[in-house]
Amino acid sequence: MSPTTKKVLRRAAPIVFYVLLALFLFLYVRSVDWGQLAGIRWNWWWVAVATAISLGFRYWGVGIWFFLLRRLGATGLQGSGVALTFVYAKSWMGRYIPGAATWIIGKVYFASKHGVSRARLGVSGLLEGALQIAATLALALVLLLIDPRTHELDPWIIVLMVVAFVGCVVCLVPKVFVFLISTALRILRRPPLDADVAPNLGTVLGGAGLYVAGAVLSGTAYYFITLAVYPGLDVRDAAFVIGAASMASAISMLAVFAPGGLGVREGVQALLLGLVMPVPIALVVVVVTRVWSLAVDALFLLTAAVPTWFARRRHEDEVGPADVEPAPGH
């Protein structure tokens, strides 16, 4: 590939990302059945609690990303913390674009502009995805299978849950993980993975533990947003609702064809929540959580972007506008 072609592709990549993101966000919002939200009596205190916890979960994800990058040997993260947090928030929005690789590619492209190794970014992204799915599935299985109401489901659904979890765990065994990445690199005719970039068992176990804690945070936020819509929800059903939200999240991440897990997450949620509340209310909760989740993602992007704007202003005051590098992502 000629230098000119590479330069054009580098300039076009962020434009394509933002255009696709805008397009699929529009389609995502358009697919919402807004009529189901009419007449809902909200408990805004629970909405505020759920939003704070869910926003904290997203920043927890940034911390896990930094943890994995450091364990994989990445350097220079401390001085770029603000910029890389914004990179993570932008890439997180990439989940609304079909294809599981979008948010990983986004982090590789944008974070490499800040001097982080592309190889380490790629490996950390794949490791993040596998760890998040495995940890969330593990929490969901524990919380759901100990509840007798789950046994009302078709046995094949439970079998598929267990098979998906076992598959993720096998892929996370360091030797298997490295083998899969190396195979993909050979197919793509890319250079082999360096030995110092491969994760070890400590990295995998540490990341898994952090993601289990993150799944508890995320599931708790979903419990409170459900409580905001359906105040009759018994506190004894909290564990089941957290498990249902975790299962829906994990399955939606496995459904790489659906932007933001659209349709898949809602279907799993409705099926499971229908066991602890009237089905019509469960369907309303599904719509509410979809809209609310998108709103929290937008809030995350905004709160991550604001510090970068202030950092840019301070830099302009120190060196002058003419000497300032373009803002991250531009």
Side-chain angles (χ1 to χ4, degrees):
M1 189 180 296
S2 68
T4 303
T5 303
K6 288 183 179 180
K7 185 177 181 180
V8 171
L9 289 176
R10 280 197 298 268
R11 289 183 176 275
I15 297 173
V16 171
F17 176 83
Y18 292 128
V19 169
L20 289 176
L21 179 59
L23 172 63
F24 284 102
L25 281 176
F26 170 76
L27 295 175
Y28 191 87
V29 172
R30 189 181 178 185
S31 68
V32 174
D33 185 358
W34 296 99
Q36 286 194 283
L37 302 182
I40 294 179
R41 298 181 62 182
W42 302 81
N43 184 320
W44 290 104
W45 287 109
W46 290 136
V47 173
V49 170
T51 301
I53 295 174
S54 191
L55 188 61
F57 161 70
R58 284 155 176 77
Y59 277 99
W60 184 259
V62 176
I64 297 175
W65 184 41
F66 284 5
F67 165 80
L68 293 176
L69 285 172
R70 289 191 182 97
R71 294 283 299 191
L72 294 172
T75 57
L77 302 179
Q78 187 172 357
S80 304
V82 170
L84 290 177
T85 299
F86 183 43
V87 165
Y88 187 96
K90 285 190 298 183
S91 303
W92 180 262
M93 295 298 292
R95 297 177 306 120
Y96 292 98
I97 302 173
T102 309
W103 74 301
I104 298 174
I105 294 172
K107 281 185 290 186
V108 172
Y109 178 84
F110 292 118
S112 64
K113 303 295 182 183
H114 298 279
V116 185
S117 160
R118 286 179 177 268
R120 289 176 172 81
L121 286 167
V123 172
S124 69
L126 292 170
L127 192 57
E128 268 187 283
L131 282 171
Q132 190 170 1
I133 294 171
T136 308
L137 274 173
L139 178 68
L141 286 171
V142 170
L143 295 180
L144 292 177
L145 293 182
I146 62 175
D147 194 304
R149 288 170 294 191
T150 309
H151 303 162
E152 299 174 21
L153 297 174
D154 189 317
W156 279 107
I157 296 177
I158 298 175
V159 170
L160 288 174
M161 293 177 183
V162 175
V163 169
F165 171 69
V166 172
C168 288
V169 170
V170 170
C171 290
L172 282 168
V173 174
K175 288 186 178 180
V176 177
F177 184 79
V178 171
F179 169 77
L180 293 174
I181 292 180
S182 300
T183 301
L185 290 174
R186 281 197 300 271
I187 293 173
L188 296 172
R189 297 182 180 180
R190 304 295 296 175
L193 190 68
D194 292 335
D196 63 339
V197 182
N200 56 34
L201 184 59
T203 301
V204 172
L205 293 178
L210 291 172
Y211 266 120
V212 169
V216 173
L217 271 178
S218 178
T220 302
Y222 274 94
Y223 167 72
F224 283 118
I225 198 66
T226 302
L227 196 61
V229 179
Y230 181 50
L233 186 66
D234 197 307
V235 68
R236 290 172 295 184
D237 292 327
F240 186 91
V241 173
I242 292 172
S246 299
M247 182 59 66
S249 176
I251 299 300
S252 70
M253 284 187 282
L254 287 170
V256 298
F257 55 85
L262 179 61
V264 178
R265 178 193 293 269
E266 289 79 5
V268 175
Q269 265 189 299
L271 177 67
L272 294 172
L273 292 180
L275 299 177
V276 296
M277 63 183 68
V279 173
I281 295 178
L283 295 176
V284 172
V285 169
V286 164
V287 176
V288 167
T289 53
R290 184 199 298 187
V291 175
W292 167 77
S293 181
L294 176 58
V296 177
D297 285 340
L299 179 61
F300 176 42
L301 181 63
L302 178 62
T303 57
V306 168
T308 67
W309 299 337
F310 281 108
R312 178 174 170 79
R313 290 289 295 274
R314 285 197 301 269
H315 192 47
E316 285 180 351
D317 291 340
E318 292 173 1
V319 303
D323 300 322
V324 177
E325 293 290 332
H330 294 275

